[in-house]
Amino acid sequence: DSFSVWSGNCGSDLPAESPLFRAGVVRGFGHIAFNVEDVYAMSAALEAAGVAFQKRPDEGRMKGLAFCLDPDGYWIELVKREEGLFPEPQNLSQTMMRVKDADRTIHFYRDILGMDLVRAMHIPGDFTNYFFANLTPAQREAMADPESAEARAAVKTLWQPVLELTHNHGTEKDDAFHVHTGNSEPLGFGHIGFLVDDLEATCKEMEQAGVPFHKRPQDGGMSSLAFALDPSGYRVELVQRGASFAGVCSNF
């Protein structure tokens, strides 16, 4: 009964009077999100099923956007998408993490991991949200300029989820500032992951580019995966595409 996970949304980087203020930890992971056709109807259905909410769609400044809570208290954002786009009632659309340094983070995810920056949303004097995705050549050709107004709608046409990285302006200048990744007390969020065609070659290239590692393929008993560290210290799992974990996992 005493066990609980840290959702990533309580921290000392908030004003002391905030109900989400928590001493001794800085906010890191934020939420996952689903795109749905009708946020209001989906919220009503979830609430009728007993799901708790951090924010209902008619609350706060951002109308039409909601945050429900999963059984462990993680935030799940509900975002409206274009009607008739997909047959499924919802699709997993993003994972959001707060980062310390925007320039270093963009370099890591775009230039080293090969993701596409598909949208940048700037709130002057406050924060910027950067959205990254792994795109096919056709999708890349169809995407709008990430700095344009059209980028918001273009991102919502994607079925695959995007990575939303939130940079609160000024944190890159504070040597003492470090986001909490969730892998030490208080425990919560663990990592994001990528499938790669050649794990050994990928790790070698990343190490040559100066990327630190929490676990290399040769470390420990699981040689088909590794954990790199992004510029904020988040663990990024790299898994050999097609790898089997037979003999390691009880159900393989």
Side-chain angles (χ1 to χ4, degrees):
D1 290 343
S2 62
F3 178 82
S4 64
V5 298
W6 175 70
S7 73
N9 291 301
C10 300
S12 60
D13 53 317
L14 288 166
E17 63 273 15
S18 169
L20 296 175
F21 177 85
R22 177 170 175 172
V25 65
V26 172
R27 293 176 301 162
F29 168 72
H31 59 265
I32 61 172
F34 286 83
N35 286 346
V36 302
E37 291 191 353
D38 189 327
V39 174
Y40 289 88
M42 179 64 72
S43 297
L46 289 170
E47 197 154 21
V51 175
F53 273 73
Q54 178 69 28
K55 177 196 176 301
R56 295 172 180 83
D58 56 352
E59 295 175 337
R61 293 177 298 172
M62 301 183 72
K63 307 299 183 187
L65 188 75
F67 284 92
C68 63
L69 302 173
D70 86 349
D72 286 305
Y74 288 112
W75 294 20
I76 301 175
E77 186 179 21
L78 303 175
V79 183
K80 180 174 175 56
R81 74 181 187 206
E82 181 183 338
E83 294 185 10
L85 195 59
F86 302 114
E88 294 81 4
Q90 62 271 325
N91 62 292
L92 180 64
S93 59
Q94 66 180 238
T95 296
M96 182 279 232
M97 306 185 306
R98 299 172 181 90
V99 300
K100 175 184 172 78
D101 188 308
D103 291 341
R104 293 182 62 208
T105 299
I106 291 170
H107 171 67
F108 178 82
Y109 285 100
R110 182 189 64 194
D111 304 330
I112 294 179
L113 283 179
M115 301 187 79
D116 290 274
L117 177 61
V118 293
R119 184 188 177 202
M121 185 186 81
H122 306 287
I123 307 298
D126 195 356
F127 67 91
T128 299
N129 288 337
Y130 298 96
F131 298 82
F132 291 84
N134 289 112
L135 302 178
T136 65
Q139 287 175 325
R140 187 174 297 114
E141 183 70 23
M143 279 291 110
D145 184 322
E147 297 284 349
S148 70
E150 293 76 23
R152 180 175 183 269
V155 170
K156 290 187 179 182
T157 66
L158 297 175
W159 170 257
Q160 71 266 38
V162 303
L163 187 61
E164 178 187 2
L165 301 174
T166 296
H167 172 235
N168 291 309
H169 300 164
T171 56
E172 74 281 5
K173 301 174 183 177
D174 184 353
D175 292 338
F177 181 90
H178 300 283
V179 298
H180 186 69
T181 67
N183 286 299
S184 59
E185 291 293 339
L187 295 172
F189 176 73
H191 60 269
I192 59 172
F194 289 80
L195 295 176
V196 300
D197 292 333
D198 188 328
L199 180 63
E200 293 284 349
T202 297
C203 292
K204 182 178 180 180
E205 290 178 8
M206 292 176 72
E207 281 203 279
Q208 289 175 344
V211 175
F213 274 74
H214 175 72
K215 177 199 177 301
R216 295 168 180 81
Q218 64 269 28
D219 300 333
M222 301 181 76
S223 60
S224 295
L225 61 83
F227 283 93
L229 299 175
D230 87 347
S232 293
Y234 288 110
R235 297 182 189 180
V236 179
E237 186 177 24
L238 306 170
V239 181
Q240 175 65 47
R241 196 185 306 274
S244 169
F245 295 94
V248 178
C249 300
S250 62
N251 59 332
F252 275 71

